[in-house]
Amino acid sequence: MPNTGKFFSDLETGMKTIGISRQAMVAALVGVAMVGSFSLAPQVFSPEAGAQPIQIEAPLGAPLSFADLIEQVEPAVVSVNVTTEREVGRLADMQQFFEQFRGMPGLDEFMEQRRQEEEEEPETQEGRSLGSGFFISKNGYIVTNNHVVDGATAIQVVLQDGRELDAELVGKDAQTDLAVLRVTEEGEYPFVNFGDSHTMRKGDWVVALGNPFGLGGTATAGILSADGREIGPDSPYTDFLQIDASINRGNSGGPTFDLNGNVIGVNTAIFSPTGGSVGIGFAIPAELADEVTKALIKDGKVSRGWLGVAIQDLTEDMAEAQGIKDAKGAIIADVTSGSPAEKGGLERGDIILSVNGDKVTDATSTTRLVGKLIANTANRFEIIRGGKKQTINVTVGERPSSPNANITPSSSSPSDDAVEDGQVVSEVGGTFEQMDDELRERLGLKAGENGLVITKVSKDGVLEEAGFQAGMVILEVNNKPATSVDALRKAISDAKRANRTKVLVAVRIGQITNYRTIDLSDAE
């Protein structure tokens, strides 16, 4: 049998002889990731007396040309060149190459030997990325995206006149994908002002400038396509502007202007199945960018308000179960022990209607309003509790880096602990027994808290239709503790007498609580 381990070693040696590196063979197949961190002491931003941002008088109607606008604002726009460094695995880079030899004798031994070598002598690789940015002050502060500079070991900006200047990171905020830089060379720089995206209407002209694909000094024009866009769970505090002015890779961090030369958005993402522009781009609204960048310049970070609650959208079914006509709001599903919410008096089952007078429409809008609050300040929360409106003052804390770290899912499925003992409630198609101390402790509940364990769910019953399973624990029924099976039956009877077809239930699954409704329309 041939020595196949030697074959792979010879193959590797031959590749080196003809000047082909492992990285070169797979460079077209893998991308360079940016990791690590880089930070400097934050500097306080003080607007210079008499300094004026670039301002333009907008033409009436559709402009014949955007040239005058672009000519005046372009000096404030820069290209951002970033150097990063990361550990790389040579074996991972060669994985696809060796895949064609999978199954040949000796391959596994060869790969294992190389894997051990990598653990002993890890390699690092330098990476580079390109983005855009713009000056917001005369003394050299620049706004860009967090993802442009994340993991940077060196940052350089290129001005319109071709000058290349070193820049330092002042602060960054991953939640809004914003970062602030400052050029290290003293001088006076042309800068632009943040405008107000709320003054823009769908269909208004916008102009985007930036550094797509490293080309630099590129301008595109289009209209505001939409506002208030949500583009993913990683951006819970941002309602994005959608624009159809072409933006591509490298435009990240660049400005989108209105016709007055005000920045109404910071370009941050595109929607594309191909990786290139298909006419759908997203920008961070100017008023949010202005607020975040001021905090970054002042403190080097953004301190967000934190309540310490788990919330859900208040659905129409949940509102109906409580006799509430307006279904706009967020219901508190759980309150973290020792949190600002608990100290302020908020409770599970409270429905949040507004924060400091600003109406909430769902869980997302509530999260954003709370996130905008200044940590350690008192704020007014209008709520509904037990069918009655009231106002509670809560001093919000500073959001921790991992606010849900103490919440862990159950290690077993609900049915693992289920037994079929207990009392049958035929109206909902389920069998229940009271929760014991051992289960209460395992679910992370307070000592003495009441609950009914579902031990059996009847086929085609209303519990099954609502998604309940054996092993789940019902904590509340229509905002009252589920102290017993009789209490459950009474809540069902009360709902029927009030001509309501829905019952609101707080259910514990592992260490997570959420609200669901049981539809009594088809109950016996």
Side-chain angles (χ1 to χ4, degrees):
M1 178 182 293
N3 187 340
T4 49
K6 184 175 183 303
F7 163 75
F8 289 112
S9 297
D10 292 343
L11 175 61
E12 186 179 13
T13 302
M15 289 160 49
K16 293 178 179 178
T17 301
I18 61 174
I20 302 175
S21 66
R22 293 171 174 168
Q23 287 79 6
M25 294 188 68
V26 295
L29 300 176
V30 298
V32 177
M34 295 183 291
V35 298
S37 62
F38 178 79
S39 62
L40 295 172
Q43 302 181 34
V44 177
F45 168 51
S46 300
E48 304 79 2
Q52 296 295 324
I54 299 167
Q55 292 183 327
I56 300 167
E57 183 176 350
L60 297 175
L64 295 175
S65 171
F66 297 102
D68 289 341
L69 164 66
I70 294 168
E71 185 177 297
Q72 294 183 66
V73 299
E74 192 171 25
V77 182
V78 302
S79 298
V80 181
N81 301 332
V82 176
T83 302
T84 62
E85 190 173 275
R86 69 182 182 104
E87 286 190 3
V88 294
R90 294 171 294 173
L91 185 62
D93 286 347
M94 288 300 297
Q95 198 76 36
Q96 293 186 10
F97 172 76
F98 283 115
E99 190 63 33
Q100 60 186 308
F101 302 106
R102 181 64 60 193
M104 291 184 64
L107 176 61
D108 291 340
E109 292 82 354
F110 172 78
M111 300 290 274
E112 179 60 29
Q113 181 182 350
R114 293 297 182 269
R115 192 174 293 111
Q116 292 175 2
E117 291 175 358
E118 283 191 7
E119 291 177 356
E120 294 174 359
E121 299 179 9
E123 286 191 354
T124 59
Q125 178 177 314
E126 185 179 273
R128 296 186 181 277
S129 62
L130 302 172
S132 305
F134 55 96
F135 285 106
I136 58 167
S137 73
K138 182 180 178 181
N139 61 344
Y141 283 100
I142 294 171
V143 172
T144 186
N145 280 149
N146 170 69
H147 75 260
V148 170
V149 297
D150 190 31
T153 57
I155 305 172
Q156 192 175 67
V157 298
V158 182
L159 279 55
Q160 184 200 24
D161 60 13
R163 282 185 294 164
E164 298 179 354
L165 304 178
D166 291 333
E168 60 187 12
L169 180 64
V170 175
K172 59 181 183 176
D173 179 47
Q175 296 289 345
T176 54
D177 196 21
L178 288 167
V180 176
L181 314 175
R182 187 176 185 181
V183 293
T184 56
E185 182 175 315
E186 294 184 1
E188 295 186 359
Y189 300 94
F191 66 100
V192 288
N193 228 3
F194 282 116
D196 185 355
S197 70
H198 293 137
T199 64
M200 301 289 290
R201 298 179 301 165
K202 188 185 296 186
D204 281 347
W205 285 105
V206 294
V207 176
L209 272 70
N211 179 33
F213 302 111
L215 296 173
T218 300
T220 57
I223 62 169
L224 178 67
S225 304
D227 57 14
R229 291 296 198 210
E230 298 176 20
I231 64 173
D234 294 333
S235 304
Y237 303 107
T238 308
D239 287 316
F240 290 90
L241 305 177
Q242 180 182 327
I243 61 174
D244 74 346
S246 295
I247 59 175
N248 289 281
R249 297 180 187 275
N251 274 106
S252 292
T256 288
F257 293 98
D258 62 16
L259 296 188
N260 290 304
N262 294 312
V263 178
I264 55 96
V266 180
N267 302 323
T268 191
I270 61 174
F271 177 83
S272 173
T274 63
S277 175
V278 293
I280 300 178
F282 300 99
I284 302 163
E287 52 278 359
L288 175 61
D290 188 23
E291 178 182 321
V292 170
T293 54
K294 285 178 179 175
L296 292 176
I297 290 169
K298 181 176 182 293
D299 300 320
K301 65 176 184 177
V302 177
S303 297
R304 289 191 169 80
W306 179 61
L307 270 181
V309 296
I311 55 176
Q312 295 174 244
D313 293 344
L314 178 69
T315 66
E316 291 184 3
D317 285 350
M318 292 177 185
E320 179 186 334
Q322 300 177 84
I324 300 173
K325 294 181 179 180
D326 189 352
K328 293 181 179 180
I331 187 168
I332 297 178
D334 215 349
V335 179
T336 302
S337 179
S339 66
E342 184 181 60
K343 294 175 182 177
L346 290 174
E347 299 176 0
R348 182 173 61 215
D350 288 346
I351 298 168
I352 300 175
L353 302 177
S354 69
V355 180
N356 292 331
D358 293 328
K359 299 292 184 183
V360 305
T361 56
D362 52 23
T364 300
S365 63
T366 305
T367 298
R368 290 175 179 169
L369 282 174
V370 172
K372 292 177 181 178
L373 300 177
I374 299 174
N376 303 314
T377 60
N379 299 271
R380 291 179 291 105
F381 287 78
E382 184 185 13
I383 65 169
I384 295 178
R385 179 183 295 170
K388 297 180 180 179
K389 288 185 179 181
Q390 58 180 286
T391 299
I392 293 182
N393 291 320
V394 180
T395 299
V396 299
E398 183 174 347
R399 180 180 174 86
S401 57
S402 300
N404 298 319
N406 63 324
I407 299 177
T408 56
S410 173
S411 58
S412 60
S413 62
S415 59
D416 286 348
D417 302 311
V419 293
E420 296 190 10
D421 297 334
Q423 299 181 58
V424 176
V425 180
S426 58
E427 296 94 328
V428 296
T431 304
F432 304 86
E433 67 174 15
Q434 287 188 299
M435 178 172 54
D436 59 22
D437 290 337
E438 181 184 350
L439 179 57
R440 186 180 293 110
E441 182 179 354
R442 185 149 56 86
L443 295 178
L445 297 171
K446 296 178 180 178
E449 186 162 359
N450 294 291
L452 293 174
V453 184
I454 302 174
T455 61
K456 183 180 179 182
V457 175
S458 301
K459 185 173 177 57
D460 299 326
V462 294
L463 275 186
E464 184 184 61
E465 299 225 352
F468 288 84
Q469 299 178 39
M472 293 181 177
V473 180
I474 293 178
L475 302 178
E476 294 179 0
V477 185
N478 280 349
N479 295 319
K480 294 182 179 179
T483 56
S484 64
V485 170
D486 288 340
L488 172 60
R489 290 194 177 109
K490 184 177 186 305
I492 293 171
S493 298
D494 289 345
K496 289 181 176 180
R497 278 197 297 271
N499 294 319
R500 295 175 188 166
T501 61
K502 305 290 190 304
V503 172
L504 184 66
V505 174
V507 59
R508 189 78 166 183
I509 308 170
Q511 293 194 357
I512 305 294
T513 303
N514 62 42
Y515 277 92
R516 304 185 182 193
T517 56
I518 298 173
D519 191 343
L520 302 177
S521 301
D522 299 324
E524 296 179 7

